[in-house]
Amino acid sequence: MNKEQTYLAEAVALARSNIENGGRPFGAVVVKDGEIVGRGVNEMLATGDPTSHAELNALRAAARTLRSPRLQGAAVYASGQPCPMCLAAMRMAGITEIAYAHSNADAEPFGLSTAAVYAELAKPLDAQAMRFRHVPAEETDPTSLYATWQQRQGQSEG
């Protein structure tokens, strides 16, 4: 078994363990420099949190281990094909390599595929089912929200 298969087997083992604990069949690991730096399982049912996916929990664990929200050079190995939310989070964290053991096609007969979400997100924003619009904020502070943040960043560096 090569390293990639070993990491995928770990993700699948986490998913199987999660089933035994009453959770959904998803597990993930984050690997950097040949070491697992984060593990996660889907905890949606346990927490009531719709964002508590295995990949996001593994990213959170890796960020704590590495003490950084930036995970460049790390790879994610997941038991199932990551959903669009998890894929976006991985991109935001700087992940550039993802491997998964079971596809959306494998998950479809069990009601676990996210292919429909991918298809919806591929449509232009104005053609999607979710209402999405820009409504500029009416702020009383003359300094913009982002300029305030930038100023604070400069102060914390000094």
Side-chain angles (χ1 to χ4, degrees):
M1 186 180 298
N2 68 31
K3 283 191 177 200
E4 183 170 70
Q5 291 167 325
T6 300
Y7 300 137
L8 286 169
E10 171 78 11
V12 171
L14 286 167
R16 287 189 180 281
S17 176
N18 203 41
I19 292 169
E20 295 301 317
N21 292 321
R24 293 167 55 95
F26 300 103
V29 297
V30 178
V31 176
K32 185 164 181 167
D33 299 327
E35 298 293 325
I36 295 176
V37 294
R39 289 177 172 82
V41 295
N42 184 297
E43 296 178 338
M44 285 175 47
L45 299 177
T47 64
D49 179 354
T51 70
S52 193
H53 289 203
E55 299 89 342
L56 293 184
N57 290 330
L59 288 177
R60 290 176 183 121
R64 283 190 301 272
T65 297
L66 299 173
R67 297 177 184 197
S68 175
R70 301 298 302 154
L71 303 174
Q72 291 94 336
V76 173
Y77 296 88
S79 63
Q81 185 171 342
C83 75
M85 174 182 66
C86 292
L87 182 61
M90 288 183 252
R91 285 182 183 253
M92 296 291 289
I95 299 291
T96 57
E97 184 178 345
I98 304 162
Y100 55 92
H102 299 281
S103 69
N104 271 326
D106 298 331
E108 181 64 37
F110 306 96
L112 296 170
S113 173
T114 58
V117 179
Y118 273 103
E120 179 71 12
L121 291 175
K123 297 176 184 176
L125 287 176
D126 62 352
Q128 293 181 23
M130 180 184 288
R131 188 173 175 210
F132 185 81
R133 65 196 187 286
H134 175 224
V135 180
E138 293 181 21
E139 296 190 50
T140 57
D141 188 331
T143 307
S144 81
L145 179 66
Y146 300 132
T148 301
W149 173 81
Q150 187 176 46
Q151 289 169 359
R152 296 244 180 206
Q153 294 297 99
Q155 291 171 1
S156 66
E157 291 173 6

